[in-house]
């Protein structure tokens, strides 16, 4: 049987939203957080801890019904844990090494048509992960090292319609 574990998370987030001009708007958020586990009286960083997360987006009204936007995401890598001979995690220290951080850029274009007073329909074209970024996750760890698993690039192109009334 594996030893019983408990966990906790805590953090703070700041968000900034601003109309830069009549046609340009921006938003940014920063999250500082910590995820911890406690096993057999020892507290250490959780495998899923993302200490720093930054999101930023900008939107530009280009005219003739077009709005263009970009969104970026950054987060720190995941902690690396080494397996002990008993099969339990041995990385029970305050600041383990981490996988590489992840950065992604998404792009969006929207064309909106007014139908009646207050009603509209729009065509939306998006590409998530336009930078073809790859994420690194801890995959196989033994008593001396961890090998990263590279995921991606996962790119999600999307064409859709939105409506409002």
């Amino acid at each position: 049987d594996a030893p019983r574990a408990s966990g906790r998370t805590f953090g703070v987030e700041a968000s900034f939203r601003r109309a830069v001009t009549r046609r340009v708007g921006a938003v940014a958020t920063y999250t500082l957080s910590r995820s911890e586990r406690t096993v057999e009286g020892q507290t250490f960083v959780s495998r899923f801890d993302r200490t720093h997360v930054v999101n930023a987006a900008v939107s530009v009204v280009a005219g003739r019904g077009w709005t263009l936007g970009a969104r970026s995401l950054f987060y720190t890598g995941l902690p690396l844990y080494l397996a002990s001979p008993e099969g339990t995690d041995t990385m029970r220290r305050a600041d383990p090494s981490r996988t590489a951080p992840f950065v992604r850029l998404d792009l969006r274009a929207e064309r909106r048509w007014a139908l009646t007073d207050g009603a509209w329909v729009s065509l939306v074209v998006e590409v998530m992960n336009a930078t073809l970024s790859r994420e690194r996750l801890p995959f196989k760890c033994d008593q001396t090292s961890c090998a990263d698993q590279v995921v991606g690039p996962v790119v999600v192109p999307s064409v859709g319609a939105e409506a409002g009334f």
Side-chain angles (χ1 to χ4, degrees):
D1 279 330
R4 188 140 175 91
S6 64
R8 70 180 184 154
T9 60
F10 50 94
V12 63
E13 182 172 279
S15 179
F16 306 94
R17 186 176 298 245
R18 170 137 185 157
V20 180
T21 68
R22 280 184 358 130
R23 294 179 160 231
V24 178
V27 62
T29 62
Y30 170 73
T31 304
L32 174 64
S33 64
R34 186 69 158 197
S35 283
E36 297 178 340
R37 281 182 74 189
T38 301
V39 179
E40 297 175 336
Q42 291 183 323
T43 300
F44 52 96
V45 178
S46 166
R47 281 185 189 265
F48 305 103
D49 180 67
R50 299 263 192 214
T51 305
H52 306 281
V53 179
V54 179
N55 285 284
V58 64
S59 177
V60 177
V61 177
R64 296 186 180 224
W66 285 96
T67 302
L68 307 174
R71 174 180 54 223
S72 64
L73 166 69
F74 164 87
Y75 50 76
T76 52
L78 295 169
L80 295 173
Y81 285 83
L82 305 179
S84 70
E86 301 85 34
T88 59
D89 297 333
T90 58
M91 289 294 266
R92 297 188 182 174
R93 55 185 176 169
D95 190 21
S97 57
R98 292 179 177 266
T99 59
F102 180 72
V103 178
R104 183 182 87 204
L105 178 68
D106 305 333
L107 301 173
R108 175 183 169 110
E110 176 183 353
R111 172 62 164 99
R112 183 176 287 195
W113 294 272
L115 300 176
T116 61
D117 203 24
W120 52 268
V121 65
S122 61
L123 171 69
V124 179
V125 178
E126 292 182 296
V127 178
M128 291 180 62
N129 195 14
T131 50
L132 306 177
S133 298
R134 298 172 189 249
E135 188 167 7
R136 297 190 173 277
L137 303 173
F139 178 61
K140 183 174 177 144
C141 297
D142 59 25
Q143 295 150 342
T144 58
S145 66
C146 283
D148 289 351
Q149 175 186 17
V150 177
V151 178
V154 176
V155 178
V156 182
S158 163
V159 176
E162 291 181 357
F165 48 92

